[in-house]
Amino acid sequence: MIQAKLGFIGAGNMNRAIIDGLLSAGVNAQQLAVSNRSAPKLDYFADRGLTTSTSNAEVAAVSDVLILGVKPAQLLDVAQELKTICATNKPLVISVAAGVLTQQIAEVLGVDTPIVRAMPNTPSTIGEGAAGLFATAAVSDAQRELAKTIIEACGIAVWVEQESLIDAVIAVAGSAPAYFFTILETMVDEAQKLGLNAADAKALAVQTCLGAARLVQSTETDLATLRNNVTSPGGTTQAALASFSASGLDETLRTGMHAAVMRAQEMAAEAAGGR
Ligand SMILES: NC(=O)c1ccc[n+]([C@@H]2O[C@H](COP(=O)([O-])OP(=O)(O)OC[C@H]3O[C@@H](n4cnc5c(N)ncnc54)[C@H](OP(=O)(O)O)[C@@H]3O)[C@@H](O)[C@H]2O)c1
């Protein structure tokens, strides 16, 4: 179990998802502190027993680990604000920001600062997150272990050995819950047009999504075989899949994932240029 004190900078969607995941996993609220520039978002966390503050420095002062969960455009300014306290207290720094490189953070905080880049996703909030992690050379084995334990309290986590692969994690996991939400929205909408009521349409589509994912997890059978198992020649599934294929669904998904990667690369340039 995690013994360290964790300080969350930014009380937005992603940090909240990680905090919810940690609390559900049994981490003591008294080990967690969170800061946000505007006060109202902090009420949710104060109600759950966390230390809260509108001062990032105050939270950093009581933390062994800092989880930076502000938007990429704000991240380096926040790092600048925490530079002195990081030099003194030497916390492990975990950034969840898309598109901000560890080198950019280290240029502000110092090259000997242990920095982990984590790319989690919002299902972390219910312990079903999927995250990629990258550690700089300044991160010790014990700190790697700690970072993984923190993120794994909210789901699964994999290490990548090159930082550029974090962009691939963004494409397949960080941004990807939204892909599935979009697909579900369309399916629920179309099922209603086909005559089902909204509640039944949603229940059926969501359970099918969940069931398909659980089926994949429960077996060694590869994805193509599972797909073939529901695709009788000349049947309804084959008709739907042939239509997807004719409309270029495969290419559409690949292009979308590349768009996510390209946007992450642009954001790194913006974060550097914005200072
Ligand atoms: N959302 C996702 O699914 C997801 C997935 C993976 C990674 N990420 C990464 O997670 C980070 C946060 O994303 P998000 O979706 O959680 O954004 P968000 O909901 O907008 O949260 C950002 C939070 O940071 C606060 N903030 C901004 N500047 C601050 C400062 N100087 N000091 C303290 N707090 C400050 C904001 O406060 P105010 O509301 O007062 O402005 C806001 O609550 C991003 O870097 C993103 O790339 C997000």
Side-chain angles (χ1 to χ4, degrees), residues 76-127:
L76 295 178
D77 287 335
V78 164
Q80 187 66 43
E81 191 187 332
L82 299 175
K83 181 180 174 161
T84 308
I85 201 134
C86 285
T88 314
N89 292 6
K90 304 200 183 308
L92 168 64
V93 175
I94 301 178
S95 165
V96 302
V100 183
L101 305 178
T102 52
Q103 190 193 331
Q104 293 173 304
I105 304 170
E107 277 165 13
V108 178
L109 294 180
V111 284
D112 56 345
T113 308
I115 303 171
V116 168
R117 236 183 108 187
M119 185 44 56
N121 61 16
T122 52
S124 300
T125 199
I126 53 160

mmCIF file of all heavy atoms in Angstrom, residues 76-127:
data_model
loop_
_atom_site.group_PDB
_atom_site.id
_atom_site.type_symbol
_atom_site.label_atom_id
_atom_site.label_comp_id
_atom_site.label_asym_id
_atom_site.label_seq_id
_atom_site.Cartn_x
_atom_site.Cartn_y
_atom_site.Cartn_z
ATOM 1 N N LEU A 76 4.150 24.244 -17.749
ATOM 2 C CA LEU A 76 5.505 24.752 -17.490
ATOM 3 C C LEU A 76 5.471 25.976 -16.557
ATOM 4 O O LEU A 76 6.402 26.180 -15.774
ATOM 5 C CB LEU A 76 6.227 25.057 -18.803
ATOM 6 C CG LEU A 76 6.482 23.802 -19.676
ATOM 7 C CD1 LEU A 76 7.165 24.170 -20.978
ATOM 8 C CD2 LEU A 76 7.288 22.743 -18.923
ATOM 9 N N ASP A 77 4.390 26.749 -16.615
ATOM 10 C CA ASP A 77 4.255 27.859 -15.661
ATOM 11 C C ASP A 77 4.084 27.324 -14.246
ATOM 12 O O ASP A 77 4.649 27.864 -13.290
ATOM 13 C CB ASP A 77 3.057 28.746 -16.036
ATOM 14 C CG ASP A 77 3.343 29.584 -17.276
ATOM 15 O OD1 ASP A 77 4.534 29.847 -17.557
ATOM 16 O OD2 ASP A 77 2.382 29.945 -17.981
ATOM 17 N N VAL A 78 3.307 26.250 -14.116
ATOM 18 C CA VAL A 78 3.128 25.637 -12.798
ATOM 19 C C VAL A 78 4.469 25.065 -12.307
ATOM 20 O O VAL A 78 4.839 25.222 -11.140
ATOM 21 C CB VAL A 78 2.025 24.542 -12.852
ATOM 22 C CG1 VAL A 78 2.073 23.632 -11.640
ATOM 23 C CG2 VAL A 78 0.657 25.202 -12.977
ATOM 24 N N ALA A 79 5.219 24.442 -13.224
ATOM 25 C CA ALA A 79 6.544 23.909 -12.849
ATOM 26 C C ALA A 79 7.436 25.047 -12.346
ATOM 27 O O ALA A 79 8.147 24.907 -11.342
ATOM 28 C CB ALA A 79 7.184 23.202 -14.039
ATOM 29 N N GLN A 80 7.389 26.178 -13.047
ATOM 30 C CA GLN A 80 8.195 27.343 -12.644
ATOM 31 C C GLN A 80 7.838 27.769 -11.219
ATOM 32 O O GLN A 80 8.713 28.040 -10.395
ATOM 33 C CB GLN A 80 7.934 28.488 -13.639
ATOM 34 C CG GLN A 80 8.817 29.712 -13.452
ATOM 35 C CD GLN A 80 10.289 29.417 -13.740
ATOM 36 O OE1 GLN A 80 10.600 28.739 -14.724
ATOM 37 N NE2 GLN A 80 11.169 29.890 -12.870
ATOM 38 N N GLU A 81 6.535 27.761 -10.949
ATOM 39 C CA GLU A 81 6.051 28.172 -9.625
ATOM 40 C C GLU A 81 6.553 27.210 -8.538
ATOM 41 O O GLU A 81 6.779 27.624 -7.400
ATOM 42 C CB GLU A 81 4.512 28.133 -9.711
ATOM 43 C CG GLU A 81 3.770 28.748 -8.574
ATOM 44 C CD GLU A 81 2.260 28.465 -8.723
ATOM 45 O OE1 GLU A 81 1.762 28.288 -9.865
ATOM 46 O OE2 GLU A 81 1.601 28.405 -7.675
ATOM 47 N N LEU A 82 6.750 25.933 -8.908
ATOM 48 C CA LEU A 82 7.120 24.917 -7.912
ATOM 49 C C LEU A 82 8.617 24.627 -7.880
ATOM 50 O O LEU A 82 9.072 23.763 -7.137
ATOM 51 C CB LEU A 82 6.346 23.623 -8.199
ATOM 52 C CG LEU A 82 4.827 23.741 -8.128
ATOM 53 C CD1 LEU A 82 4.160 22.440 -8.534
ATOM 54 C CD2 LEU A 82 4.387 24.150 -6.715
ATOM 55 N N LYS A 83 9.361 25.369 -8.694
ATOM 56 C CA LYS A 83 10.790 25.079 -8.875
ATOM 57 C C LYS A 83 11.565 25.093 -7.540
ATOM 58 O O LYS A 83 12.319 24.162 -7.233
ATOM 59 C CB LYS A 83 11.352 26.139 -9.826
ATOM 60 C CG LYS A 83 12.791 25.996 -10.136
ATOM 61 C CD LYS A 83 13.224 27.088 -11.081
ATOM 62 C CE LYS A 83 14.723 26.983 -11.254
ATOM 63 N NZ LYS A 83 15.204 27.654 -12.429
ATOM 64 N N THR A 84 11.345 26.121 -6.750
ATOM 65 C CA THR A 84 12.125 26.263 -5.515
ATOM 66 C C THR A 84 11.794 25.135 -4.539
ATOM 67 O O THR A 84 12.700 24.500 -3.980
ATOM 68 C CB THR A 84 11.829 27.632 -4.860
ATOM 69 O OG1 THR A 84 12.013 28.613 -5.863
ATOM 70 C CG2 THR A 84 12.752 27.908 -3.697
ATOM 71 N N ILE A 85 10.504 24.880 -4.394
ATOM 72 C CA ILE A 85 10.099 23.842 -3.430
ATOM 73 C C ILE A 85 10.553 22.458 -3.895
ATOM 74 O O ILE A 85 10.936 21.602 -3.089
ATOM 75 C CB ILE A 85 8.580 23.902 -3.159
ATOM 76 C CG1 ILE A 85 8.261 23.227 -1.838
ATOM 77 C CG2 ILE A 85 7.737 23.326 -4.229
ATOM 78 C CD1 ILE A 85 7.341 24.025 -0.996
ATOM 79 N N CYS A 86 10.586 22.243 -5.224
ATOM 80 C CA CYS A 86 11.074 20.954 -5.748
ATOM 81 C C CYS A 86 12.574 20.811 -5.488
ATOM 82 O O CYS A 86 13.049 19.714 -5.164
ATOM 83 C CB CYS A 86 10.779 20.828 -7.238
ATOM 84 S SG CYS A 86 9.045 20.489 -7.586
ATOM 85 N N ALA A 87 13.303 21.915 -5.632
ATOM 86 C CA ALA A 87 14.758 21.873 -5.390
ATOM 87 C C ALA A 87 15.028 21.534 -3.925
ATOM 88 O O ALA A 87 15.991 20.831 -3.595
ATOM 89 C CB ALA A 87 15.380 23.208 -5.763
ATOM 90 N N THR A 88 14.180 22.007 -3.023
ATOM 91 C CA THR A 88 14.383 21.776 -1.590
ATOM 92 C C THR A 88 13.890 20.386 -1.174
ATOM 93 O O THR A 88 14.613 19.617 -0.553
ATOM 94 C CB THR A 88 13.597 22.841 -0.766
ATOM 95 O OG1 THR A 88 13.854 24.112 -1.341
ATOM 96 C CG2 THR A 88 13.994 22.823 0.690
ATOM 97 N N ASN A 89 12.646 20.067 -1.551
ATOM 98 C CA ASN A 89 12.010 18.829 -1.044
ATOM 99 C C ASN A 89 12.267 17.602 -1.913
ATOM 100 O O ASN A 89 12.049 16.486 -1.478
ATOM 101 C CB ASN A 89 10.488 19.021 -0.916
ATOM 102 C CG ASN A 89 10.137 20.003 0.171
ATOM 103 O OD1 ASN A 89 11.015 20.623 0.763
ATOM 104 N ND2 ASN A 89 8.859 20.166 0.443
ATOM 105 N N LYS A 90 12.673 17.826 -3.168
ATOM 106 C CA LYS A 90 12.965 16.753 -4.122
ATOM 107 C C LYS A 90 11.855 15.698 -4.220
ATOM 108 O O LYS A 90 12.097 14.495 -4.024
ATOM 109 C CB LYS A 90 14.294 16.082 -3.787
ATOM 110 C CG LYS A 90 15.452 17.064 -3.738
ATOM 111 C CD LYS A 90 16.769 16.398 -3.890
ATOM 112 C CE LYS A 90 17.940 17.349 -3.772
ATOM 113 N NZ LYS A 90 17.861 18.527 -4.632
ATOM 114 N N PRO A 91 10.623 16.129 -4.501
ATOM 115 C CA PRO A 91 9.556 15.132 -4.679
ATOM 116 C C PRO A 91 9.716 14.398 -5.996
ATOM 117 O O PRO A 91 10.390 14.885 -6.910
ATOM 118 C CB PRO A 91 8.285 15.993 -4.708
ATOM 119 C CG PRO A 91 8.746 17.291 -5.279
ATOM 120 C CD PRO A 91 10.167 17.491 -4.790
ATOM 121 N N LEU A 92 9.093 13.232 -6.081
ATOM 122 C CA LEU A 92 8.921 12.590 -7.379
ATOM 123 C C LEU A 92 7.825 13.374 -8.097
ATOM 124 O O LEU A 92 6.770 13.627 -7.524
ATOM 125 C CB LEU A 92 8.481 11.139 -7.181
ATOM 126 C CG LEU A 92 7.985 10.401 -8.428
ATOM 127 C CD1 LEU A 92 9.096 10.249 -9.463
ATOM 128 C CD2 LEU A 92 7.421 9.033 -8.048
ATOM 129 N N VAL A 93 8.101 13.796 -9.341
ATOM 130 C CA VAL A 93 7.121 14.570 -10.108
ATOM 131 C C VAL A 93 6.500 13.663 -11.171
ATOM 132 O O VAL A 93 7.223 13.037 -11.954
ATOM 133 C CB VAL A 93 7.802 15.799 -10.769
ATOM 134 C CG1 VAL A 93 6.813 16.538 -11.678
ATOM 135 C CG2 VAL A 93 8.345 16.739 -9.693
ATOM 136 N N ILE A 94 5.180 13.578 -11.156
ATOM 137 C CA ILE A 94 4.462 12.821 -12.184
ATOM 138 C C ILE A 94 3.614 13.811 -12.972
ATOM 139 O O ILE A 94 2.775 14.511 -12.398
ATOM 140 C CB ILE A 94 3.543 11.742 -11.561
ATOM 141 C CG1 ILE A 94 4.359 10.767 -10.706
ATOM 142 C CG2 ILE A 94 2.778 10.998 -12.646
ATOM 143 C CD1 ILE A 94 3.536 9.695 -9.996
ATOM 144 N N SER A 95 3.868 13.912 -14.264
ATOM 145 C CA SER A 95 3.059 14.784 -15.112
ATOM 146 C C SER A 95 2.094 13.939 -15.925
ATOM 147 O O SER A 95 2.513 12.974 -16.552
ATOM 148 C CB SER A 95 3.954 15.586 -16.061
ATOM 149 O OG SER A 95 3.166 16.157 -17.097
ATOM 150 N N VAL A 96 0.826 14.333 -15.916
ATOM 151 C CA VAL A 96 -0.141 13.608 -16.752
ATOM 152 C C VAL A 96 -0.475 14.401 -18.022
ATOM 153 O O VAL A 96 -1.354 14.013 -18.781
ATOM 154 C CB VAL A 96 -1.448 13.248 -15.989
ATOM 155 C CG1 VAL A 96 -1.149 12.401 -14.770
ATOM 156 C CG2 VAL A 96 -2.247 14.484 -15.612
ATOM 157 N N ALA A 97 0.230 15.508 -18.224
ATOM 158 C CA ALA A 97 -0.109 16.388 -19.357
ATOM 159 C C ALA A 97 0.250 15.745 -20.694
ATOM 160 O O ALA A 97 1.355 15.242 -20.874
ATOM 161 C CB ALA A 97 0.614 17.716 -19.208
ATOM 162 N N ALA A 98 -0.678 15.809 -21.615
ATOM 163 C CA ALA A 98 -0.390 15.355 -22.975
ATOM 164 C C ALA A 98 0.562 16.350 -23.625
ATOM 165 O O ALA A 98 0.435 17.558 -23.438
ATOM 166 C CB ALA A 98 -1.689 15.283 -23.777
ATOM 167 N N GLY A 99 1.534 15.843 -24.360
ATOM 168 C CA GLY A 99 2.316 16.706 -25.224
ATOM 169 C C GLY A 99 3.370 17.579 -24.560
ATOM 170 O O GLY A 99 4.004 18.371 -25.249
ATOM 171 N N VAL A 100 3.586 17.460 -23.257
ATOM 172 C CA VAL A 100 4.683 18.230 -22.649
ATOM 173 C C VAL A 100 5.784 17.232 -22.286
ATOM 174 O O VAL A 100 5.559 16.296 -21.508
ATOM 175 C CB VAL A 100 4.236 19.011 -21.398
ATOM 176 C CG1 VAL A 100 5.393 19.848 -20.860
ATOM 177 C CG2 VAL A 100 3.047 19.903 -21.726
ATOM 178 N N LEU A 101 6.968 17.429 -22.884
ATOM 179 C CA LEU A 101 8.053 16.458 -22.745
ATOM 180 C C LEU A 101 8.720 16.574 -21.382
ATOM 181 O O LEU A 101 8.815 17.672 -20.811
ATOM 182 C CB LEU A 101 9.097 16.686 -23.844
ATOM 183 C CG LEU A 101 8.557 16.671 -25.282
ATOM 184 C CD1 LEU A 101 9.685 16.954 -26.268
ATOM 185 C CD2 LEU A 101 7.899 15.331 -25.592
ATOM 186 N N THR A 102 9.240 15.452 -20.898
ATOM 187 C CA THR A 102 9.953 15.479 -19.609
ATOM 188 C C THR A 102 11.150 16.425 -19.680
ATOM 189 O O THR A 102 11.489 17.078 -18.698
ATOM 190 C CB THR A 102 10.439 14.072 -19.212
ATOM 191 O OG1 THR A 102 11.175 13.506 -20.299
ATOM 192 C CG2 THR A 102 9.293 13.163 -18.845
ATOM 193 N N GLN A 103 11.767 16.509 -20.866
ATOM 194 C CA GLN A 103 12.916 17.416 -21.011
ATOM 195 C C GLN A 103 12.493 18.867 -20.789
ATOM 196 O O GLN A 103 13.209 19.660 -20.168
ATOM 197 C CB GLN A 103 13.511 17.257 -22.405
ATOM 198 C CG GLN A 103 14.841 17.971 -22.565
ATOM 199 C CD GLN A 103 15.246 18.066 -24.034
ATOM 200 O OE1 GLN A 103 14.896 17.220 -24.832
ATOM 201 N NE2 GLN A 103 15.974 19.116 -24.356
ATOM 202 N N GLN A 104 11.290 19.221 -21.274
ATOM 203 C CA GLN A 104 10.782 20.580 -21.084
ATOM 204 C C GLN A 104 10.532 20.849 -19.599
ATOM 205 O O GLN A 104 10.797 21.944 -19.102
ATOM 206 C CB GLN A 104 9.480 20.776 -21.881
ATOM 207 C CG GLN A 104 9.691 20.733 -23.390
ATOM 208 C CD GLN A 104 8.365 20.748 -24.150
ATOM 209 O OE1 GLN A 104 7.493 19.908 -23.944
ATOM 210 N NE2 GLN A 104 8.198 21.719 -25.028
ATOM 211 N N ILE A 105 10.030 19.842 -18.898
ATOM 212 C CA ILE A 105 9.773 20.007 -17.454
ATOM 213 C C ILE A 105 11.100 20.083 -16.707
ATOM 214 O O ILE A 105 11.286 20.915 -15.813
ATOM 215 C CB ILE A 105 8.894 18.854 -16.915
ATOM 216 C CG1 ILE A 105 7.594 18.764 -17.718
ATOM 217 C CG2 ILE A 105 8.588 19.042 -15.437
ATOM 218 C CD1 ILE A 105 6.759 17.519 -17.439
ATOM 219 N N ALA A 106 12.051 19.210 -17.114
ATOM 220 C CA ALA A 106 13.368 19.189 -16.444
ATOM 221 C C ALA A 106 14.128 20.491 -16.680
ATOM 222 O O ALA A 106 14.913 20.922 -15.824
ATOM 223 C CB ALA A 106 14.182 18.000 -16.946
ATOM 224 N N GLU A 107 13.912 21.126 -17.829
ATOM 225 C CA GLU A 107 14.583 22.412 -18.085
ATOM 226 C C GLU A 107 14.139 23.458 -17.075
ATOM 227 O O GLU A 107 14.881 24.378 -16.743
ATOM 228 C CB GLU A 107 14.293 22.896 -19.513
ATOM 229 C CG GLU A 107 15.222 22.257 -20.537
ATOM 230 C CD GLU A 107 14.744 22.436 -21.971
ATOM 231 O OE1 GLU A 107 13.832 23.249 -22.209
ATOM 232 O OE2 GLU A 107 15.286 21.727 -22.846
ATOM 233 N N VAL A 108 12.915 23.317 -16.567
ATOM 234 C CA VAL A 108 12.406 24.259 -15.561
ATOM 235 C C VAL A 108 12.811 23.801 -14.155
ATOM 236 O O VAL A 108 13.339 24.580 -13.360
ATOM 237 C CB VAL A 108 10.864 24.380 -15.649
ATOM 238 C CG1 VAL A 108 10.342 25.316 -14.563
ATOM 239 C CG2 VAL A 108 10.442 24.865 -17.027
ATOM 240 N N LEU A 109 12.596 22.496 -13.862
ATOM 241 C CA LEU A 109 12.782 22.018 -12.484
ATOM 242 C C LEU A 109 14.220 21.593 -12.180
ATOM 243 O O LEU A 109 14.584 21.434 -11.023
ATOM 244 C CB LEU A 109 11.845 20.828 -12.216
ATOM 245 C CG LEU A 109 10.344 21.121 -12.222
ATOM 246 C CD1 LEU A 109 9.553 19.846 -11.943
ATOM 247 C CD2 LEU A 109 9.980 22.189 -11.193
ATOM 248 N N GLY A 110 15.021 21.372 -13.240
ATOM 249 C CA GLY A 110 16.393 20.884 -13.039
ATOM 250 C C GLY A 110 16.521 19.456 -13.528
ATOM 251 O O GLY A 110 15.607 18.648 -13.326
ATOM 252 N N VAL A 111 17.667 19.163 -14.171
ATOM 253 C CA VAL A 111 17.824 17.854 -14.829
ATOM 254 C C VAL A 111 17.870 16.690 -13.851
ATOM 255 O O VAL A 111 17.606 15.550 -14.234
ATOM 256 C CB VAL A 111 19.088 17.803 -15.721
ATOM 257 C CG1 VAL A 111 18.883 18.558 -17.005
ATOM 258 C CG2 VAL A 111 20.313 18.257 -14.971
ATOM 259 N N ASP A 112 18.185 16.970 -12.587
ATOM 260 C CA ASP A 112 18.244 15.861 -11.622
ATOM 261 C C ASP A 112 16.885 15.599 -10.958
ATOM 262 O O ASP A 112 16.760 14.726 -10.091
ATOM 263 C CB ASP A 112 19.326 16.124 -10.560
ATOM 264 C CG ASP A 112 19.107 17.445 -9.843
ATOM 265 O OD1 ASP A 112 18.308 18.263 -10.354
ATOM 266 O OD2 ASP A 112 19.718 17.654 -8.776
ATOM 267 N N THR A 113 15.851 16.318 -11.391
ATOM 268 C CA THR A 113 14.514 16.089 -10.822
ATOM 269 C C THR A 113 13.954 14.774 -11.358
ATOM 270 O O THR A 113 13.922 14.564 -12.574
ATOM 271 C CB THR A 113 13.539 17.225 -11.236
ATOM 272 O OG1 THR A 113 14.137 18.465 -10.914
ATOM 273 C CG2 THR A 113 12.195 17.092 -10.551
ATOM 274 N N PRO A 114 13.521 13.867 -10.463
ATOM 275 C CA PRO A 114 12.910 12.620 -10.956
ATOM 276 C C PRO A 114 11.526 12.914 -11.540
ATOM 277 O O PRO A 114 10.646 13.393 -10.829
ATOM 278 C CB PRO A 114 12.820 11.740 -9.703
ATOM 279 C CG PRO A 114 12.915 12.673 -8.543
ATOM 280 C CD PRO A 114 13.602 13.922 -8.992
ATOM 281 N N ILE A 115 11.372 12.651 -12.834
ATOM 282 C CA ILE A 115 10.100 12.967 -13.504
ATOM 283 C C ILE A 115 9.559 11.720 -14.202
ATOM 284 O O ILE A 115 10.288 11.057 -14.951
ATOM 285 C CB ILE A 115 10.282 14.090 -14.560
ATOM 286 C CG1 ILE A 115 10.857 15.346 -13.910
ATOM 287 C CG2 ILE A 115 8.941 14.415 -15.239
ATOM 288 C CD1 ILE A 115 11.272 16.427 -14.896
ATOM 289 N N VAL A 116 8.314 11.422 -13.935
ATOM 290 C CA VAL A 116 7.609 10.354 -14.657
ATOM 291 C C VAL A 116 6.512 11.021 -15.468
ATOM 292 O O VAL A 116 5.790 11.877 -14.963
ATOM 293 C CB VAL A 116 6.998 9.329 -13.679
ATOM 294 C CG1 VAL A 116 6.018 8.399 -14.393
ATOM 295 C CG2 VAL A 116 8.108 8.519 -13.010
ATOM 296 N N ARG A 117 6.416 10.646 -16.736
ATOM 297 C CA ARG A 117 5.269 11.084 -17.525
ATOM 298 C C ARG A 117 4.265 9.958 -17.533
ATOM 299 O O ARG A 117 4.599 8.828 -17.890
ATOM 300 C CB ARG A 117 5.695 11.409 -18.956
ATOM 301 C CG ARG A 117 5.320 12.824 -19.350
ATOM 302 C CD ARG A 117 5.676 13.077 -20.770
ATOM 303 N NE ARG A 117 4.469 13.147 -21.581
ATOM 304 C CZ ARG A 117 4.495 13.227 -22.893
ATOM 305 N NH1 ARG A 117 5.642 13.213 -23.552
ATOM 306 N NH2 ARG A 117 3.371 13.319 -23.556
ATOM 307 N N ALA A 118 3.058 10.256 -17.113
ATOM 308 C CA ALA A 118 2.007 9.239 -17.103
ATOM 309 C C ALA A 118 0.927 9.665 -18.076
ATOM 310 O O ALA A 118 0.610 10.839 -18.176
ATOM 311 C CB ALA A 118 1.410 9.114 -15.704
ATOM 312 N N MET A 119 0.419 8.721 -18.813
ATOM 313 C CA MET A 119 -0.709 9.020 -19.697
ATOM 314 C C MET A 119 -1.864 8.105 -19.321
ATOM 315 O O MET A 119 -2.017 7.010 -19.830
ATOM 316 C CB MET A 119 -0.281 8.832 -21.168
ATOM 317 C CG MET A 119 -1.334 9.237 -22.157
ATOM 318 S SD MET A 119 -2.160 10.804 -21.791
ATOM 319 C CE MET A 119 -0.776 11.930 -21.690
ATOM 320 N N PRO A 120 -2.662 8.560 -18.333
ATOM 321 C CA PRO A 120 -3.788 7.742 -17.891
ATOM 322 C C PRO A 120 -5.044 8.087 -18.703
ATOM 323 O O PRO A 120 -4.967 8.858 -19.658
ATOM 324 C CB PRO A 120 -3.961 8.188 -16.435
ATOM 325 C CG PRO A 120 -3.450 9.588 -16.404
ATOM 326 C CD PRO A 120 -2.544 9.808 -17.596
ATOM 327 N N ASN A 121 -6.169 7.508 -18.333
ATOM 328 C CA ASN A 121 -7.429 7.936 -18.945
ATOM 329 C C ASN A 121 -8.523 7.988 -17.881
ATOM 330 O O ASN A 121 -8.329 7.534 -16.752
ATOM 331 C CB ASN A 121 -7.794 7.096 -20.176
ATOM 332 C CG ASN A 121 -7.978 5.629 -19.878
ATOM 333 O OD1 ASN A 121 -8.133 5.232 -18.730
ATOM 334 N ND2 ASN A 121 -7.968 4.814 -20.908
ATOM 335 N N THR A 122 -9.653 8.595 -18.240
ATOM 336 C CA THR A 122 -10.652 8.885 -17.201
ATOM 337 C C THR A 122 -11.356 7.663 -16.598
ATOM 338 O O THR A 122 -11.854 7.789 -15.478
ATOM 339 C CB THR A 122 -11.721 9.900 -17.694
ATOM 340 O OG1 THR A 122 -12.255 9.442 -18.924
ATOM 341 C CG2 THR A 122 -11.140 11.284 -17.859
ATOM 342 N N PRO A 123 -11.390 6.485 -17.233
ATOM 343 C CA PRO A 123 -11.941 5.334 -16.504
ATOM 344 C C PRO A 123 -11.162 5.002 -15.217
ATOM 345 O O PRO A 123 -11.598 4.159 -14.416
ATOM 346 C CB PRO A 123 -11.884 4.199 -17.541
ATOM 347 C CG PRO A 123 -12.046 4.915 -18.853
ATOM 348 C CD PRO A 123 -11.234 6.184 -18.674
ATOM 349 N N SER A 124 -10.021 5.676 -15.014
ATOM 350 C CA SER A 124 -9.302 5.567 -13.729
ATOM 351 C C SER A 124 -10.245 5.817 -12.565
ATOM 352 O O SER A 124 -10.071 5.271 -11.477
ATOM 353 C CB SER A 124 -8.176 6.611 -13.650
ATOM 354 O OG SER A 124 -7.265 6.422 -14.688
ATOM 355 N N THR A 125 -11.235 6.675 -12.789
ATOM 356 C CA THR A 125 -12.140 7.069 -11.714
ATOM 357 C C THR A 125 -12.880 5.879 -11.103
ATOM 358 O O THR A 125 -13.261 5.914 -9.936
ATOM 359 C CB THR A 125 -13.134 8.142 -12.241
ATOM 360 O OG1 THR A 125 -13.706 8.824 -11.149
ATOM 361 C CG2 THR A 125 -14.206 7.570 -13.114
ATOM 362 N N ILE A 126 -13.061 4.805 -11.886
ATOM 363 C CA ILE A 126 -13.726 3.596 -11.348
ATOM 364 C C ILE A 126 -12.753 2.412 -11.302
ATOM 365 O O ILE A 126 -13.156 1.259 -11.308
ATOM 366 C CB ILE A 126 -14.978 3.230 -12.182
ATOM 367 C CG1 ILE A 126 -14.643 3.121 -13.673
ATOM 368 C CG2 ILE A 126 -16.101 4.222 -11.939
ATOM 369 C CD1 ILE A 126 -15.652 2.329 -14.467
ATOM 370 N N GLY A 127 -11.443 2.735 -11.285
ATOM 371 C CA GLY A 127 -10.445 1.665 -11.185
ATOM 372 C C GLY A 127 -10.257 0.879 -12.464
ATOM 373 O O GLY A 127 -9.697 -0.217 -12.465
#
